[in-house]
Amino acid sequence: MAPYASDDSTTAGEADEQRSGRRKAARYVVPVTVMGVAAATIGLVPALADSGDPDLPKITAQQLVEKIAKSDVQQLSGTVKISTDLGLPDLGGLESSLMSGAASPDGGGSSADPTAKLTELASGTHTLRVAADGPDKQKLSLLENAAEYSIVHNGKDVWAYDSKSNEVHHGTASESGKASGSGKDQQPPATPKDFAEEALKAADDTTSVTVDGTAQVAGRDAYKLLIKPKQSGSTVGAIIVAVDAKTGTPLKFTLTPASGGSAVVDAGFTQVSFAKPAASTFDFTPPKGAKVTEEKESGKASEKGFGKGFGKGFDKGEARRHAPKSLPKSEKELGKGLDGMKTIGEGWNSIATFDTGGEGVPSGEAGGDLGGFVNSLGDKVTGKFGSGTVFSTRLVNALITDDGKVYVGLVTKDALVKAADAGK
């Protein structure tokens, strides 16, 4: 992170038939998963009501960022509310099917597989219960109507249970979360701390970071850290992180778009305790009659990001480093055999680009009913690069050119077109 300029602000900083089939799938799935999964990786965020602004000692932005980095909380439990309003079109269930298909390309597996299940956090409002006791013991439960989905990490065992289907998914983490740190272990963010650390990684000299008063979240006094892009062209308006004044733990994360309106994503504790959770919290035995699916490949659980790296956020005094400078794992699976991805631009205006090796988004005639439907979701654009289709949300935009190149980022449509033109 770049040095701080002042006390109150800082400039912080994947037989040909199989390949062909994969490319065809990419042409349909990319418009949905690129935006949905990217949003889950970037940050999900709740605007929780504050019950007053506490009077706390003055603190500089540098001191507050350092307080977050040095936070040594290893035990906690609580309830997190996550609301996401990306402005995605109503696909009548197609979106979740495509996202699940991207996460499990073989079309098989268990409904309890976290790779597909956790993509649900990319839209709507959800309530999570979280608990942690160091890097080797965590539990995350997604509460649904008359059902519950849980992931339990206890030592080398990682269990995922879907009570609705009575299915269990079991993986074995080859190492503890504490030992990992390669940057390859990823899981969707689940707590305000996850989101905050992702945002701070983007804080460089293209970023303004200031202290913006105080707040009370989940009954605890907190400082508010305001993070804003200095550049124009980004779809990110501002990020506010409420940081627990005593422990330095982010309690709430709110991201608003540059276009204005309600928060795009909104995640924060409604209740939190920093007491050590009961050991039984992390015990799990498959219920009687449950279908249990075991990972077929050794270490596969860690690759999916809910094993080896599941507890990385609870390494004492160490910030998480799981944010990829490439596509999320599900996208990597989708893009095996495709040209490598690269990043152009810097800071908040960074754009990820890769080549699907296909022919862009198919027309209704070439792609049938599905092709026409997918096409109807985007806007046709032209430029020096030729022509293509832009798929938009309130935060993430993706341009797919007619020759199969993809440009995606937290930037405006115009920025994507300029990037595509520059690539010519």
Side-chain angles (χ1 to χ4, degrees):
M1 187 175 294
Y4 292 85
S6 72
D7 282 345
D8 293 323
S9 66
T10 178
T11 53
E14 150 170 30
D16 291 332
E17 290 184 0
Q18 292 179 325
R19 183 171 300 171
S20 175
R22 198 175 290 126
R23 288 173 175 169
K24 289 179 180 178
R27 292 159 60 191
Y28 293 110
V29 179
V30 164
V32 174
T33 57
V34 141
M35 297 183 289
V37 180
T41 302
I42 293 161
L44 309 168
V45 214
L48 305 178
D50 298 332
S51 57
D53 297 341
D55 185 13
L56 297 172
K58 186 175 180 180
I59 191 172
T60 67
Q62 180 176 3
Q63 291 171 332
L64 189 52
V65 171
E66 290 174 348
K67 191 176 186 70
I68 296 173
K70 294 177 181 178
S71 177
D72 61 359
V73 169
Q74 297 196 62
Q75 290 88 29
L76 68 77
S77 59
T79 302
V80 175
K81 183 179 179 182
I82 297 179
S83 297
T84 311
D85 180 13
L86 284 167
L88 291 170
D90 182 4
L91 304 183
L94 178 60
E95 174 189 350
S96 59
S97 297
L98 289 175
M99 292 174 75
S100 297
S104 303
D106 58 4
S110 166
S111 68
D113 188 335
T115 309
K117 186 67 177 180
L118 292 183
T119 59
E120 293 182 10
L121 296 181
S123 63
T125 298
H126 305 275
T127 298
L128 304 175
R129 285 180 182 159
V130 298
D133 185 4
D136 296 323
K137 292 183 179 182
Q138 300 88 37
K139 181 175 181 179
L140 182 153
S141 298
L142 173 59
L143 307 183
E144 302 171 314
N145 292 332
E148 181 174 324
Y149 175 82
S150 295
I151 303 176
V152 181
H153 173 205
N154 193 337
K156 291 187 176 182
D157 289 311
V158 183
W159 300 92
Y161 175 59
D162 184 356
S163 68
K164 187 174 183 179
S165 63
N166 199 28
E167 292 193 18
V168 174
H169 194 273
H170 178 234
T172 302
S174 57
E175 302 176 36
S176 71
K178 185 175 182 179
S180 62
S182 64
K184 296 180 181 180
D185 307 304
Q186 305 136 23
Q187 76 271 359
T191 69
K193 179 177 174 66
D194 300 340
F195 302 130
E197 288 175 344
E198 295 301 335
L200 287 172
K201 277 184 240 182
D204 54 15
D205 60 4
T206 68
T207 308
S208 167
V209 181
T210 60
V211 177
D212 189 36
T214 63
Q216 191 170 78
V217 180
R220 298 186 64 90
D221 292 346
Y223 292 101
K224 294 194 297 184
L225 189 67
L226 176 63
I227 304 171
K228 298 178 67 175
K230 285 185 173 182
Q231 306 160 299
S232 61
S234 174
T235 56
V236 176
I239 292 171
I240 296 179
V241 182
V243 184
D244 185 67
K246 184 175 181 180
T247 67
T249 301
L251 299 174
K252 175 183 172 183
F253 178 96
T254 303
L255 185 156
T256 56
S259 59
S262 62
V264 173
V265 241
D266 183 74
F269 283 99
T270 57
Q271 180 277 326
V272 64
S273 169
F274 294 105
K276 182 183 178 71
S280 59
T281 302
F282 310 104
D283 292 339
F284 182 81
T285 300
K288 184 177 180 180
K291 174 186 174 182
V292 179
T293 300
E294 296 282 349
E295 287 290 355
K296 297 179 182 179
E297 300 174 18
S298 176
K300 188 174 181 181
S302 64
E303 293 178 5
K304 287 193 173 186
F306 62 95
K308 180 178 175 181
F310 188 68
K312 291 174 66 180
F314 300 94
D315 294 352
K316 184 174 182 178
E318 179 180 347
R320 290 162 54 110
R321 293 176 288 172
H322 73 262
K325 298 201 175 184
S326 58
L327 292 174
K329 184 62 183 178
S330 60
E331 290 297 326
K332 286 185 176 179
E333 290 293 338
L334 177 65
K336 282 181 178 178
L338 305 183
D339 291 350
M341 195 202 79
K342 63 180 181 179
T343 301
I344 56 180
E346 62 177 354
W348 301 90
N349 287 5
S350 296
I351 297 173
T353 179
F354 61 98
D355 196 332
T356 67
E359 299 177 357
V361 179
S363 66
E365 182 179 348
D369 291 340
L370 182 56
F373 175 71
V374 171
N375 232 302
S376 69
L377 300 177
D379 297 325
K380 296 299 292 186
V381 295
T382 59
K384 294 177 181 178
F385 68 89
S387 59
T389 306
V390 173
F391 297 89
S392 301
T393 71
R394 298 177 66 209
L395 188 65
V396 184
N397 289 321
L399 165 62
I400 305 178
T401 66
D402 290 347
D403 58 359
K405 293 183 176 61
V406 177
Y407 297 84
V408 60
L410 302 177
V411 297
T412 63
K413 297 178 185 179
D414 288 344
L416 294 178
V417 172
K418 288 181 180 179
D421 282 343
K424 283 300 180 179

